[in-house]
Amino acid sequence: MKPWETLESANVPEVGELTLVRRGDEYVLRVRGQTLMSSRMHGSEEALARAGCADLVSRGTGRVLVGGLGFGYTVRAVLDQVGPGVRVSVAELLPTVVTWNRGPHLAPLAKAPLEDPRVTVIEGDVGLVMKRHSASFDTILLDVDNGPSALTHPDNQGLYGVSGLSTAAQALRSGGSLAIWSAGPAAGFERRLEKCGFTVEVLHPHAHGTKGPRHVIYVGRLGKSRR
């Protein structure tokens, strides 16, 4: 078996060492030596985009906020299904991840979604972005730090508590959708979403097409009478 080849590395304050490694055609991002994501397992990220943006497919306009860039697969899936009038903002906390996504190793994986003129990149905390934008987005997609079930950075817990979910609800327009990716089931999370005014659907897509482990996607929809 071929050894892993280190392509990029960076020491990020309050996070630790990030490394981008490759073996054959598989790319892996590691945080402090632990695998955070793999280019072979992005089927559920695409399912996240499809579920969250379903109501935008037939519309010519709209605004989408993606929290967590990853390898760009979620953003690409959004762009491929919505019309030219939809605008996509991507909030990524780690500038290093943005830089690597623009570089020669990662950009080709998802066909360079950051080069699409519909996309705006925000280097910062998606929670703060939501706080600054009241009733601004039709869809919010969150794929941050393995979701509510397995966190690698404790500060991200606030996104998935009642306060964070209420912030997301306030950032959505009437009838908007919040879709959240999770590595596995999160006890009590559906109830938290319902407490914040969402009607909840839970999906269990495969990590890779019809193969691999199943991840969890929580889709919350706000009633149009909320505002």
Side-chain angles (χ1 to χ4, degrees):
M1 182 176 293
K2 293 182 179 179
W4 288 101
E5 174 190 4
T6 299
L7 303 174
E8 304 276 4
S9 65
N11 198 339
V12 179
E14 301 183 5
V15 174
E17 185 181 32
L18 292 184
T19 54
L20 177 65
V21 299
R22 176 180 62 194
R23 183 169 64 192
D25 60 356
E26 181 181 10
Y27 292 78
V28 165
L29 180 64
R30 294 173 178 164
V31 178
R32 301 187 299 275
Q34 296 184 340
T35 296
L36 183 62
M37 65 189 72
S38 165
S39 63
R40 286 192 177 175
M41 295 190 178
H42 55 85
S44 58
E45 295 174 41
E46 294 164 349
L48 172 73
R50 289 193 299 270
C53 295
D55 293 339
L56 293 180
V57 173
S58 61
R59 292 169 51 179
T61 61
R63 291 188 67 189
V64 178
L65 173 63
V66 179
L69 174 57
F71 286 162
Y73 290 112
T74 302
V75 181
R76 168 50 59 196
V78 172
L79 295 171
D80 285 350
Q81 69 175 320
V82 300
V86 174
R87 295 295 176 259
V88 182
S89 298
V90 186
E92 171 54 54
L93 184 62
L94 304 178
T96 300
V97 173
V98 177
T99 298
W100 291 352
N101 267 270
R102 296 188 188 278
H105 300 302
L106 294 187
L109 294 182
K111 300 178 183 178
L114 300 189
E115 295 181 9
D116 193 294
R118 293 173 288 175
V119 174
T120 299
V121 177
I122 303 169
E123 294 185 1
D125 186 339
V126 67
L128 296 178
V129 174
M130 293 190 295
K131 286 181 180 179
R132 294 195 298 263
H133 293 79
S134 178
S136 297
F137 300 103
D138 299 284
T139 296
I140 297 175
L141 309 177
L142 294 182
D143 182 5
V144 177
D145 209 355
N146 280 336
S149 64
L151 298 167
T152 61
H153 197 297
D155 289 348
N156 290 324
Q157 181 64 54
L159 280 176
Y160 303 114
V162 171
S163 177
L165 296 174
S166 295
T167 296
Q170 291 300 316
L172 285 167
R173 293 170 176 161
S174 178
S177 298
L178 170 66
I180 295 173
W181 186 97
S182 181
F189 192 62
E190 289 179 64
R191 290 191 295 275
R192 266 178 268 164
L193 283 164
E194 290 168 352
K195 186 175 181 179
C196 295
F198 292 99
T199 300
V200 183
E201 179 184 8
V202 183
L203 308 175
H204 301 273
H206 286 282
H208 180 67
T210 59
K211 302 177 181 178
R214 287 185 181 271
H215 295 146
V216 181
I217 295 174
Y218 297 92
V219 184
R221 293 184 172 86
L222 293 174
K224 293 189 178 182
S225 61
R226 189 179 69 93
R227 298 186 185 278

